[in-house]
Amino acid sequence: MSDVCASHVPAAARTAQAAPILPLSVRDLALRFDGATVLDGLSFDLSATGCTMVMGPNGAGKSLLLKLLHGLIRPTAGTIAWGSHDPSAVTARHALVFQKPVLLRRSVAANIDFVLKARGKDARRRDRLLDHVGLGHKARQPARLLSGGEAQRLALARALATDPEVLFLDEPTASLDPASVLAIEAIVAEARNRGVRIVFVTHDTGQARRMADDVLFLQGGRVAEHSRAADFFPAPRSQAARDYLDGRIVV
Amino acid sequence: MMDALGLAVQLVLSGDPDLLEIVLLSLRVSLTATVVACLIGLPLGALVAVGRFTGRNAVLIVMNALMGLPPVVVGLLVYLHLSRSGPLGFLGLLYTPTAMIIAQTILIAPIVAALSRQVIEDLHAEYAEQFRSLCLTKLQTVQALLWDARYSLLTVGLAGFGRAVAEVGAVIIVGGNIDHLTRVMTTAIALETSKGDLGLALALGIILLVIALGVNAAVQSVRMTAVRQAYV
Ligand SMILES: Nc1ncnc2c1ncn2[C@@H]1O[C@H](COP(=O)(O)OP(=O)(O)OP(=O)(O)O)[C@@H](O)[C@H]1O
Ligand SMILES: [Mg+2]
């Protein structure tokens, strides 16, 4: 695994950073673990702007796809091209909110401070970031005592603290109450309108309808369908997506 | 026996100056050795925990083996280096508290390194992916791990201190158990017992136990606070 993170590339190489990383092009992407194929021949493109909702049944490979795109794991085969860059070369220009966020053993505020400092960002942004996700009043609390939904919101604030050009979200609202779900969606929509490219995994069809510009539907480690939202929800092209939306079990 | 115990209690309560001197020297030597061992052992443990380099397994084996160094052997090795004919003899450190600090540091630095390596590696397993996503440098990663493992590492430091303060074999060889100069609790206990002066020996024994209990209780209460805040 390469340790190259663009934010730590020497100044001479940094001109390359200004080069656009969008659109994204994925070709014949495959991932195998000890012979078990979990992703198999994925090919798709993501446009420069908007919000892609990634959907599909449990175990379809959604989380692994995000990690591949983010440069955290290497594919067994195929290519991922962020503009002309390899994923691991542009990890610093993305942020990923994990399905199970890992919070530091520190206060809520210190979790944000840490990232701002590590990435050379303005430390004074912390309070605004916490207020932005509705955690201003919890700043002094130990982060690990937050509720599941609050932890997700802190993870989102931490991701936004790095000023990502691409924001990956892996089921960030799975354990949230309805009001918090809408609050998170508003924050993500606001980021999208600022030009942050959103790639959002969800099982919530209502949420997908509200947020999607396009839908990438995975099943069994393959792309079953990649459609514009306006086409997908009224009439999905794939049988897999139709079954999923109807609540039928797909394997 | 009961006489000795009575005398011991009396010595402790009266704050006998000789007794106090021995206790303070013990604490000074062992605390200094613990601090130095942590300054060496913690970064070393962290480096081995997060590093992926060739020879890492060999380092691991050596580190774990050194944990069980017999104190008399460490004492002997330090003696050979510091004695007048030894390579470091010109420093004139033999039979000084500094020699005792050196010996105890060598004795417990591997303990601190090996135990902290385990603690930090476990934490790193939990944090690694998140840290790579945040694009942290190796140094930032190590610093964050050391800080987030702080309460577990406190216990590691305590284990080192416990071994240092209770150790007799190394300090008696390089310190010489000289009255008012290098006499610490353990060496004094050994000497007084062999002389039959059980009162002083017992008094020192009691103090040693109280120190061990006290330090453990303090660390335990700090840890409890940390657990309540989910910081462990
Ligand atoms: N390290 C690994 N070794 C072997 N198999 C793995 C590994 N990591 C994940 N898998 C398998 O890959 C498949 C896809 O996992 P992934 O986490 O991407 O699913 P997902 O689509 O995110 O599912 P969910 O909706 O439940 O989050 C799963 O069947 C999982 O068991
Ligand atoms: Mg998942």
Side-chain angles (χ1 to χ4, degrees), chain B residues 82 88-94:
Chain B
L82 295 185
L88 299 176
F90 65 93
L91 294 173
L93 287 177
L94 198 62

Side-chain angles (χ1 to χ4, degrees), chain B residues 9 23 31 63 68 89-91 113 122 137 141 143 158 161-162 184 210 217 222:
Chain B
V9 172
V23 172
L31 282 174
M63 231 159 65
F90 65 93
L91 294 173
D122 291 347
T137 61
T141 300
Q143 282 171 342
L158 174 67
F161 174 75
V184 290
V210 168
V222 171

Side-chain angles (χ1 to χ4, degrees), chain B residues 156-178:
Chain B
V156 169
L158 174 67
F161 174 75
R163 172 137 160 126
V165 80
E167 172 280 325
V168 56
V171 282
I172 208 160
I173 292 178
V174 302
N177 194 26
I178 302 166

Side-chain angles (χ1 to χ4, degrees), chain A residues 33 36 38 56-65 99 170-171 201 203:
Chain A
F33 290 111
V38 290
N58 293 136
K62 305 180 293 298
S63 295
L64 288 173
L65 175 61
Q99 194 165 2
D170 198 348
E171 300 187 39
V201 175
H203 286 291

Side-chain angles (χ1 to χ4, degrees), chain A residues 151-197:
Chain A
Q152 286 288 7
R153 283 192 264 164
L154 178 56
L156 179 57
R158 177 171 64 185
L160 292 172
T162 65
D163 297 320
E165 293 167 55
V166 180
L167 176 59
F168 298 107
L169 300 145
D170 198 348
E171 300 187 39
T173 60
S175 54
L176 271 60
D177 62 67
S180 301
V181 170
L182 293 180
I184 295 261
E185 287 177 9
I187 293 165
V188 173
E190 187 267 339
R192 175 196 172 283
N193 294 337
R194 268 192 289 124
V196 181
R197 186 65 172 88

